[in-house]
Amino acid sequence: MTAPSPASPASPASPASSDRAADVIVVGAGPSGSTTAYHLAQAGLDVLLVEKTAFPREKVCGDGLTPRAVKQLLAMGIDPQPGDGWVRNHGLRIIGGGMRLELPWPDLATFPNYGLVRTREDFDEILARQAQKAGARLQERTNVTGPVLDAAGRITGVTARTVDADGHKSDELTYRAPIVVACDGNSTRLSLAMGLRKRDDRPLGVAVRTYYNSPRTDDDWLESWLELWDGDRLLPGYGWIFGVGDGTVNAGLGILNSSGAFQNVDYRDLLRRWLDTTPIEWGFREENRTSPIRGAALPMGFNRTPHYTRGMLLVGDAGGMVNPFNGEGIAYAMESGAMAAETIVQALGRATPAGRERALEAYPLALKQAYGGYYTLGRVFVKLIGNPNVMKLATRHGLPHPTLMRFTLKLLANLTDPADGDPMDRVINALTKVAPAA
Ligand SMILES: Cc1cc2nc3c(=O)[nH]c(=O)nc-3n(C[C@H](O)[C@H](O)[C@H](O)COP(=O)(O)OP(=O)(O)OC[C@H]3O[C@@H](n4cnc5c(N)ncnc54)[C@H](O)[C@@H]3O)c2cc1C
């Protein structure tokens, strides 16, 4: 437990102590942090959004956005017009079992019918600037080092060091707020310091990606390859090819931990071997590679809980919110950010500490209600496809059935209408309701 630290002398680049207090501190300005900060600022709260890096910055990702993420962008007042750096897509093209299938995003009342591609170098900065425009105070180059706790163990702020452009660190400074939101990604040092460890009973993925100069840069479908072979072993996961629209393509692959291969696969080598099987004219060869192959973990199915404890909320990857069915994390980071903001606005409007606490405790319940049943199904799915025979059966016998595949797309991308949906929507909604919440 960290005792409240006395205010350190501020270095010249460090903010004054009056600027180090806020209604809410949001740690990390990835999609979860910027969305949380945007909605909080829109509601008129004083929000401090602290980020250890400086924009623009790289983030290892596939750069693919499904209609779920587009909906969240629109809710933040961002209009992703084509030609403005956004590449729109119509749906998912699936390659596997000797088939090539194009499945358009479903036409729904709840979600738009298009997805997008945009590199995270751009995307994350657009979101952070939008939060800033709404009134959030974005402070880049500020590395949060730990929580500040009161005598009861409740978080009352964070300690952080600012880092100038030359890499010089300030003394440790104290930032204060009655509520802190951990949006610091999969490694979430802040949650760890609050005693919240990763759960091993939840699925985990690993994904790697790189970029190639390629004539496929303007592809307006997200493409996924279902057959990743390691020798004669079929792996649970998929490869993707997403056109970025700037002359390059993001190509990568992700594997789930339900396979024995998880620990002992050379992911970079696997990526190269898979891409070597693609037509040479697509350009996915070493001489056209424009950046290193980088990888990171995909924390899935609520792999860190509780999502609220002692004044701190967990949002996005910090709370393990990646969809186990498809590895999508951005939409869930943004949705959970919006839910966290809504909860905090209500909590700060309560007159008593007890009332505030009751309001904050609604956040994990809202998450459970939104994703609990679906993530439980996801866990079953991850276990099933960890068996190569099931994976083989699914690709060989599933892909030739267009209706089954349309259903599968809705299930894997979590795209249904909650009410008045078609029969497929009703089956999926019923399944997620009967599954016990994760
Ligand atoms: C290879 C790969 C491909 C992927 N492809 C896709 C995809 O195509 N589509 C999709 O939807 N999802 C994809 N994902 C998942 C997606 O990247 C994540 O789910 C998403 O980035 C989560 O957002 P976040 O804001 O919770 O965390 P992050 O994006 O990780 O943001 C965390 C932020 O916190 C900052 N931070 C961390 N520690 C501190 C600290 N101590 N102090 C201050 N700031 C801090 C970081 O610098 C960062 O800016 C992919 C993941 C990987 C690894």
Side-chain angles (χ1 to χ4, degrees), residues 27-32 50-53 57 59-64 120 142-144 183-185 207-208 240 242 296-298 315-317 322 327-330 333:
V27 179
S32 60
V50 287
E51 165 58 43
K52 70 176 177 188
T53 64
R57 59 103 176 89
K59 162 76 178 85
V60 179
C61 189
D63 307 326
R120 294 291 297 277
T142 305
N143 190 353
V144 169
C183 297
D184 48 349
V208 293
W240 68 80
F242 296 167
L298 297 165
V315 173
D317 276 15
V322 172
E328 177 184 17
I330 297 170

Side-chain angles (χ1 to χ4, degrees), residues 34 53 67 88 115-116 145 154 186 189 192 198 219 230 243 248 260 262 265 298 305 314 326 345 392 399 419:
S34 293
T53 64
R88 282 197 185 193
L116 295 163
T145 48
R154 190 185 175 85
N186 174 55
R189 272 177 66 180
L192 282 171
K198 171 169 92 56
D219 195 349
D230 181 32
T248 68
F262 185 73
V265 147
L298 297 165
T305 54
L314 269 53
N326 66 357
V345 170
K392 263 182 224 156
L399 283 164

Side-chain angles (χ1 to χ4, degrees), residues 146-266:
V148 176
L149 304 179
D150 66 12
R154 190 185 175 85
I155 197 164
T156 56
V158 295
T159 51
R161 290 180 197 278
T162 58
V163 188
D164 69 19
D166 299 321
H168 299 128
K169 289 183 186 154
S170 74
D171 292 336
E172 204 158 72
L173 299 165
T174 303
Y175 293 74
R176 294 201 176 273
I179 296 175
V180 175
V181 192
C183 297
D184 48 349
N186 174 55
S187 56
T188 187
R189 272 177 66 180
L190 189 61
S191 310
L192 282 171
M194 291 285 284
L196 303 185
R197 320 224 155 271
K198 171 169 92 56
R199 292 178 61 151
D200 293 327
D201 61 341
R202 299 294 151 103
L204 191 78
V206 165
V208 293
R209 69 92 174 94
T210 187
Y211 297 89
Y212 294 91
N213 283 319
S214 168
R216 298 208 39 199
T217 188
D218 292 320
D219 195 349
D220 50 9
W221 291 79
L222 295 181
E223 185 166 292
S224 86
W225 288 54
L226 296 189
E227 284 179 275
L228 293 176
W229 293 92
D230 181 32
D232 57 2
R233 194 163 47 167
L234 182 60
L235 301 174
Y238 67 88
W240 68 80
I241 295 170
F242 296 167
V244 180
D246 63 353
T248 68
V249 154
N250 180 322
L253 58 84
I255 309 263
L256 293 159
N257 67 349
S258 52
S259 131
F262 185 73
Q263 302 277 17
N264 49 35
V265 147
D266 178 343

Side-chain angles (χ1 to χ4, degrees), residues 323-351:
N323 180 348
F325 283 103
N326 66 357
E328 177 184 17
I330 297 170
Y332 299 92
M334 297 179 77
E335 288 177 10
S336 54
M339 281 188 242
E342 194 184 326
T343 309
I344 293 167
V345 170
Q346 291 306 321
L348 290 178
R350 299 288 169 95

Side-chain angles (χ1 to χ4, degrees), residues 73-93:
L73 276 179
L74 296 170
M76 282 178 73
I78 296 169
D79 183 12
Q81 283 299 323
D84 207 10
W86 302 98
V87 179
R88 282 197 185 193
N89 53 67
H90 310 291
L92 193 63
R93 181 186 302 120

